[in-house]
Amino acid sequence: MEDIQMNNFSIKSIVHDYEVEFIEDTAAKLRETLQDGDWVIIDNKIKSLYGESLNPVLDTCKHIDIDATEQQKSYQGVEPIIAQLIKDGFRKNHRLIAIGGGITQDVTAFISSIMYRGTNWFFFPTTLLAQCDSCIGSKTSINFGEYKNQVGGFYPPNKIFINPHFIDTLTEGEMKSGLGEMLHYFVVSGEEDFRFYKANFKAAFTDKQVLSSLIERSLQIKKGYIERDEFDRGPRQVFNYGHSFGHAIEALTHFRVPHGVAVSYGMDMANFVSVKLGLIPEQVRDEVREIVINFWPGFEINELDVDIFINALSKDKKNVGKKLGLILNKGYGQIFKNVMDSDETFRSWMVEYFENELKF
């Protein structure tokens, strides 16, 4: 197993400060972290893949195994977990430890934030998407019916342990999703970071050290924003770049298109609208598009109906009244929120996009 060079760092939070620690041995760190009364919430897929090393530790503590599905990330999904914790004596001074990707994170964070008005929790992110993005930032979100991430708050873990070797067992689709999500940080940051990403993202599929450097830089970019705007009221909203369109794609494909791939479509759509509004030249859109089309094969969205898509966009939580609150592009490092009408002109742009822009 090759050693990966990455630097630990801390994040300031109004709720409580927390640390990101890069590790090589998950089982050893889990054993070191566990205290009496702690519960582990673990993704069944991770338990299956890494049972040989993790099961001896899990056998020494109470744990709940979950299927990491969007249905699990709902009131109906978390209710039996809360019931089991209360029934089996979980107390406010006990901690929850999440091992899994973003869904396991959201389930655990949401429960931790509401159990006894807040209990401590720790996170071992196992997907690229969680390691490069969602593990920091404090957000807790669950779905409500068909609508994604409509319920939640802000409640960071007390510590995050990132082991890059989990990436060894990710599928190509999971890699595309993580790299697709990661890209939006590098566009938001500025041209230098965008060029760094563009020069390295293909190698990241096979070179763990290259991928680790992208993960670390992605988290550092995000850290700078969340420490200024933890509760997403101002500057941090630029990180929703690609997400309004992306969440609509996820919902309408019933999550067949993974989150980061949907966001990569969303960035291209946001750039397409930005070109239409005269905010960026075609060249900027084309440079980003040259990257994102690498993530789309196998996750085509040609079947989506434009009017149903626009209706899904109208439900986005960033909207203002009846207007769309879209994160658009004025250039690298100049991502901003634009409030605009969902009118016939906008509809015509979406028709044009779905008819002409999905060929790659």
Side-chain angles (χ1 to χ4, degrees):
M1 185 181 288
E2 60 180 315
D3 287 340
I4 308 297
Q5 299 303 311
M6 300 175 82
N7 299 305
N8 301 340
F9 62 92
S10 296
I11 298 166
K12 297 186 182 304
S13 165
I14 294 168
V15 183
H16 53 245
D17 294 352
Y18 54 106
E19 184 182 355
V20 176
E21 180 182 340
F22 295 96
I23 64 172
E24 294 280 336
D25 188 334
T26 300
K29 182 59 66 173
L30 178 60
R31 185 178 285 106
E32 175 189 315
T33 302
L34 280 167
Q35 296 178 3
D36 286 345
D38 290 351
W39 280 74
V40 174
I41 298 178
I42 184 169
D43 177 356
N44 272 319
K45 184 176 180 182
I46 295 303
K47 193 177 180 188
S48 172
L49 288 169
Y50 296 93
E52 185 177 346
S53 62
L54 292 179
N55 282 340
V57 188
L58 293 173
D59 288 343
T60 69
C61 68
K62 295 179 178 179
H63 57 92
I64 297 173
D65 309 336
I66 66 170
D67 291 325
T69 64
E70 293 291 340
Q71 292 71 35
Q72 179 73 68
K73 198 177 106 169
S74 65
Y75 278 126
Q76 295 78 12
V78 302
E79 186 177 351
I81 299 174
I82 294 172
Q84 183 174 349
L85 291 171
I86 294 172
K87 179 183 177 184
D88 287 354
F90 184 78
R91 297 288 181 259
K92 184 174 176 62
N93 62 305
H94 298 155
R95 297 101 49 89
L96 295 180
I97 299 173
I99 305 175
I103 290 175
T104 308
Q105 172 189 349
D106 274 326
V107 166
T108 308
F110 184 76
I111 292 172
S112 297
S113 71
I114 62 174
M115 285 286 289
Y116 313 126
R117 300 190 184 92
T119 61
N120 290 345
W121 72 287
F122 297 77
F123 186 29
F124 290 80
T126 61
T127 64
L128 179 53
L129 200 62
Q131 291 188 357
C132 75
D133 173 33
S134 67
C135 66
I136 68 171
S138 306
K139 288 184 179 179
T140 75
S141 302
I142 61 171
N143 303 330
F144 188 83
E146 64 183 291
Y147 303 113
K148 186 175 171 68
N149 294 343
Q150 294 294 303
V151 178
F154 295 86
Y155 197 72
N158 295 81
K159 195 160 185 180
I160 299 157
F161 303 101
I162 296 180
N163 184 345
H165 295 290
F166 276 119
I167 290 159
D168 294 340
T169 53
L170 296 185
T171 65
E172 183 182 14
E174 288 168 326
M175 288 293 294
K176 288 178 177 180
S177 183
L179 285 163
E181 174 76 16
M182 210 187 303
L183 170 60
H184 84 285
Y185 289 114
F186 291 82
V187 178
V188 165
S189 180
E191 185 163 0
E192 182 179 351
D193 272 317
F194 172 74
R195 300 291 173 206
F196 172 68
Y197 178 96
K198 189 169 187 177
N200 287 285
F201 83 96
K202 287 186 178 177
F205 277 94
T206 54
D207 187 323
K208 188 107 31 50
Q209 186 61 61
V210 171
L211 179 61
S212 297
S213 68
L214 288 176
I215 292 171
E216 186 175 355
R217 182 59 191 146
S218 178
L219 293 176
Q220 290 288 353
I221 294 168
K222 186 174 182 180
K223 165 184 158 74
Y225 277 80
I226 62 180
E227 289 186 336
R228 284 187 287 147
D229 180 26
E230 183 171 13
F231 298 146
D232 210 10
R233 292 175 181 146
R236 184 179 172 182
Q237 289 192 9
V238 298
F239 287 147
N240 287 305
Y241 173 52
H243 283 64
S244 296
F245 298 105
H247 285 158
I249 291 168
E250 285 183 276
L252 296 181
T253 62
H254 304 288
F255 305 101
R256 172 183 62 79
V257 177
H259 175 72
V261 176
V263 168
S264 73
Y265 276 113
M267 284 186 279
D268 190 51
M269 291 180 179
N271 291 346
F272 179 79
V273 172
S274 298
V275 170
K276 292 293 187 182
L277 291 170
L279 300 172
I280 55 170
E282 285 276 4
Q283 177 192 347
V284 171
R285 187 217 166 185
D286 289 344
E287 286 184 333
V288 179
R289 184 176 168 88
E290 284 174 14
I291 296 173
V292 296
I293 59 174
N294 290 274
F295 308 138
W296 298 352
F299 301 108
E300 291 77 12
I301 59 169
N302 307 70
E303 80 280 7
L304 296 187
D305 178 90
V306 170
D307 291 308
I308 295 174
F309 180 78
I310 292 173
N311 182 59
L313 270 182
S314 73
K315 304 292 194 300
D316 192 86
K317 59 182 177 288
K318 294 177 289 299
N319 293 343
V320 180
K322 294 185 177 180
K323 294 179 178 286
L324 299 175
L326 299 178
I327 309 301
L328 300 181
N329 189 346
K330 289 182 181 176
Y332 302 117
Q334 299 179 69
I335 306 302
F336 74 108
K337 184 174 182 177
N338 185 67
V339 178
M340 60 187 294
D341 290 317
S342 179
D343 55 14
E344 262 316 303
T345 299
F346 180 79
R347 182 184 182 280
S348 72
W349 293 344
M350 291 295 96
V351 169
E352 181 182 345
Y353 186 90
F354 277 94
E355 286 183 353
N356 301 326
E357 303 298 319
L358 294 175
K359 304 175 181 69
F360 52 89

